[in-house]
Structure formats: structure tokens, C-alpha cells
Amino acid sequence: MSRFLSEDLKNLVPYTPGEQLAGNFIKLNTNESPFPPSSRVAESLNTVEINKLNLYSDPTADLLVSEIAKYYSVKKENVAVGNGSDEILAFAFNAFGEKGFICPEITYGFYPVFADFFGIDLETVQMEDDLSINPEKYYSSKRNIILANPNAQTGIYLDLNEIERIVRSNENKIVIIDEAYIDFGGESAVSLIDKYDNLLVVQTFSKSRNLAGGRIGFAIGNKELIADINTMKFSFNPYNVNRLSILAGSASMSDCEYFIECTKQIIENRENLIEFCHANGFIVTPSKANFILMKHPSIDGKDLYLQLKEKGILVRHLGGLISDYIRVTIGSKEQMDKFKEKTSEIIKCKIQEI
Ligand SMILES: *Cc1c(COP(=O)(O)O)cnc(C)c1O
């Protein structure tokens, strides 16, 4: 820390991203897709386009916004895009933070960081014993609400009816639904945006669209909310989505067939892994995301994480309230087979020790 850092930022604890290790690890720790982007992405990024990088990107990102609007059957005025959904979330915290926010105590680790960064009160709400969210705890809230659905870390999904009840009971608070994992079996709340002017849905290209490195996220909501997000954007970084990402994102959005094929494969591999867990004495959350949270009575989460790492498999050990668990990203079939093989070896050894 330099002696110049502002006083109110001295205690800021930054977000810790998952390890991005070099080497031959099977990487199941940051919920990326194991599949490459749609082939239309590479086709859209040709030499002609690269040679236009001397020019700024379109600040309205019209091509990308149009493609997203088309996919969700909403108007362009209902869509704002950002440099990853993290940037959209930051804009939302900044724009709507006055009354503070509430979120579950186990959720995306960036929410408390944003709250700190912008000096916003963030109250956390206890989970149920099975790590699920009790929607009633979010009715008639004194603060704005941010929920990841499916929830980060647990993958547990709240039904669209439950989301609607939360939105309806908080008509004077904004409700942000972070749908980073919605495409792996959930139903999006985008269908509710015309009915509720206090609902903002946030999504990303990083998980289900295989474009984490492209840094593209978006918000869908009532046009006034979107205008507010865009006021943040134009007050901070008008060219927030670069030329190549605008092309990559719109190409990816247009390729429905490949999107369905990839998400279907992830869902299949997830269900298969959950079955493996049940058959091998693991406790696992009923995830509707591209990861699962699992623990075994005979091994501590940290220990399992370290032993898997030694065997070339990188998963996430999150500690805190879920330190018994590891979080495992759903990869390709081959990756999952390796994961199952190595995990079985570790568990067999542990059980023999006891
Ligand atoms: C991955 C993730 C994000 C961030 O996505 P980017 O678009 O890569 O910034 C946001 N929210 C949740 C819950 C996530 O898991």
C-alpha cells in the first residue's frame, strides 16, 4: 500500500479470483465452459475487423444489444451491455445503492466487495440448514435485494414463481437477479420485466456462452432502469465493450443450435456427476448450475481440494461456512471421468485409513 491511497479505501478487501494456473491441470475451479465458443465467433473476428482496432468501439454496442434483444424478444431500450457482468453489477450497486442491499450469506463473493468499494450497506441473510434460500426472508425488505439464481456456490435454484413473489412484495425496492447460471436448467426472469419496473436481470456470456475471456455481460429490465445503468456506463467508460467482443458476442448469441448443444451436454454431465456423488457417499447440493458443491463425511474439503490438485485436478475450496465442501465445475465428459476416477481413489484411501 502506498502512502497515497485514500483513507476510506485502506481496508478494502479485493475479490479473489480462482487460480489460473499454468500447466496441465484439469481446470474445474472457475465455472468456465470446457467448450470453445461458437465457430461463428472465429468467423466474425477476421483480419478486416482486427485492422479496424485503430477506431473506438461503438459506445452503444448496437450490434450486440440488437442480438440480445432479439434473442429475448425485448426492445433494445431494455438491454445494457458491459465488460463482463461484473461491470454491470458494479454499475447497479453504484446506481441503486442508496438504500443498501441484502443478499444471502452464501453467494457470489463479489457482492460484498462492490458494497465496500462503493460504501454501500450490505446485509446478509442466513441460509437454511440445507444451504437453500428461504424466499420469505426477502419479502417486504427494507433494503434493495440482490440474488444470484441459481445461487452462486450452491447452484440451488429458486423457481420463477418464488422470484416473482419477491419482486412483487418489494415494489419500492430494486430486485437484481443475477442469472449467470440460468441457462443450465432454470427459467429466466426476463419474462417479468414488462410487469415489474423494479426488476433488473443480469446475465453473462462467461458461462453458458463459452466466452469468459471475451468479458461480456448484460442487463435486461425496464427502460428507465437500463437508462440508469447506461448513465453509469457513460460516466465511467463509454467504450466498455471492445470492438472484437461486440462481434464475438453477437455471433455467439445468433448461434442457438450450438448454445443448446453445449448447455445440454453440461446438464447431462452434471446429472451424471450428482449420481456418482450419491453412489459414493457424498452430500451434494441439488445444483441447476454448471458446478456442484460436494462434501464427504470422511474427508475435509481442504484436504480433498489439495489431494485433487496433487493429482492434476483443480477445484475450488471456498472455506468459510462451506469449508467442508469443494465446488466442482462441470467439464467435458472426459474431464468428469478423470475427476470421478481420481476422487474415487482418494476416498478409497481415506476409508481404509479409518
Ligand atoms: C461468473 C459470475 C459473474 C461474473 O461474470 P462475468 O460476466 O465474467 O463478469 C457474475 N455473477 C455470478 C453469480 C457469477 O458466477
Side-chain angles (χ1 to χ4, degrees):
M1 185 189 304
S2 82
R3 58 204 165 89
F4 304 106
L5 186 65
S6 299
E7 202 56 45
D8 59 344
L9 291 177
K10 283 189 175 155
N11 293 321
L12 193 65
V13 183
Y15 178 73
T16 320
E19 300 161 275
Q20 299 289 351
L21 291 184
N24 275 335
F25 281 98
I26 294 183
K27 205 171 164 307
L28 306 176
N29 68 329
T30 48
N31 300 343
E32 290 145 320
S33 170
F35 309 120
S38 156
S39 58
R40 293 189 192 175
V41 170
E43 285 161 24
S44 73
L45 304 180
N46 51 41
T47 311
V48 175
E49 295 299 336
I50 289 166
N51 282 337
K52 290 184 196 162
L53 282 173
N54 58 318
L55 304 173
Y56 281 112
S57 58
D58 169 11
T60 69
D62 188 60
L63 191 67
L64 178 58
V65 167
S66 304
E67 207 59 60
I68 295 168
K70 191 159 90 188
Y71 181 84
Y72 282 102
S73 306
V74 296
K75 299 198 182 106
K76 288 199 279 186
E77 66 193 22
N78 298 117
V79 181
V81 294
N83 192 307
S85 60
D86 286 338
E87 189 185 53
I88 293 282
L89 291 166
F91 291 157
F93 268 80
N94 198 15
F96 309 118
E98 202 175 32
K99 290 177 184 157
F101 276 95
I102 61 168
C103 72
E105 60 184 342
I106 298 171
T107 189
Y108 188 35
F110 228 132
Y111 303 152
V113 179
F114 287 137
D116 255 15
F117 189 71
F118 294 113
I120 290 165
D121 288 327
L122 181 72
E123 191 187 309
T124 57
V125 180
Q126 259 191 350
M127 319 301 289
E128 304 305 292
D129 290 340
D130 60 359
L131 301 183
S132 67
I133 287 170
N134 177 355
E136 290 180 17
K137 291 184 176 170
Y138 298 82
Y139 292 171
S140 309
S141 166
K142 288 194 187 61
R143 301 173 192 274
N144 298 303
I145 295 166
I146 181 154
L147 287 173
N149 192 40
N151 195 15
Q153 326 310 356
T154 68
I156 298 174
Y157 169 69
L158 277 181
D159 217 74
L160 190 56
N161 292 326
E162 302 286 7
I163 296 291
E164 182 166 10
R165 268 185 220 128
I166 293 170
V167 176
R168 201 192 305 136
S169 79
N170 286 286
E171 61 173 337
N172 295 316
K173 302 288 178 305
I174 184 164
V175 180
I176 300 175
I177 306 296
D178 180 350
E179 295 188 343
Y181 302 109
I182 198 70
D183 296 325
F184 303 105
E187 193 181 348
S188 173
V190 166
S191 58
L192 302 176
I193 61 146
D194 283 333
K195 209 162 151 193
Y196 301 100
D197 69 353
N198 61 324
L199 170 65
L200 189 72
V201 179
V202 176
Q203 289 199 11
T204 177
F205 281 68
S206 297
K207 317 279 165 50
S208 58
R209 296 197 178 265
N210 322 348
L211 273 171
R215 311 303 307 126
I216 311 163
F218 58 98
I220 300 186
N222 168 276
K223 74 173 184 193
E224 278 87 22
L225 288 181
I226 294 302
D228 293 340
I229 294 290
N230 279 326
T231 302
M232 301 302 110
K233 158 177 156 149
F234 281 90
S235 309
F236 180 74
N237 183 11
Y239 309 109
N240 62 343
V241 185
N242 72 67
R243 293 188 82 93
L244 301 184
S245 291
I246 289 174
L247 293 167
S250 41
S252 157
M253 222 5 139
S254 75
D255 193 350
C256 290
E257 205 175 311
Y258 182 66
F259 167 74
I260 292 167
E261 191 186 317
C262 292
T263 48
K264 205 172 129 206
Q265 187 68 63
I266 296 295
I267 293 168
E268 203 176 298
N269 296 352
R270 178 188 69 211
E271 295 311 309
N272 188 286
L273 182 61
I274 290 175
E275 232 169 79
F276 164 88
C277 286
H278 288 152
N280 287 275
F282 281 92
I283 291 163
V284 52
T285 53
S287 172
K288 281 257 189 279
N290 68 339
F291 60 85
I292 62 166
L293 195 62
M294 55 191 273
K295 69 173 177 182
H296 197 278
S298 67
I299 186 166
D300 162 73
K302 181 83 181 276
D303 194 9
L304 181 54
Y305 156 78
L306 288 171
Q307 290 201 41
L308 281 165
K309 193 169 175 180
E310 227 161 77
K311 292 174 183 284
I313 298 179
L314 205 53
V315 300
R316 195 92 191 256
H317 177 251
L318 289 146
L321 291 167
I322 43 175
S323 66
D324 293 348
Y325 290 86
I326 57 168
R327 193 192 69 190
V328 183
T329 302
I330 307 301
S332 65
K333 196 165 174 312
E334 296 69 37
Q335 290 177 320
M336 292 295 97
D337 287 345
K338 244 322 177 254
F339 173 81
K340 285 188 266 187
E341 180 195 321
K342 299 296 174 195
T343 303
S344 301
E345 285 171 21
I346 295 168
I347 295 302
K348 269 196 203 108
C349 274
K350 267 287 164 191
I351 289 170
Q352 275 164 10
E353 274 171 33
I354 295 169

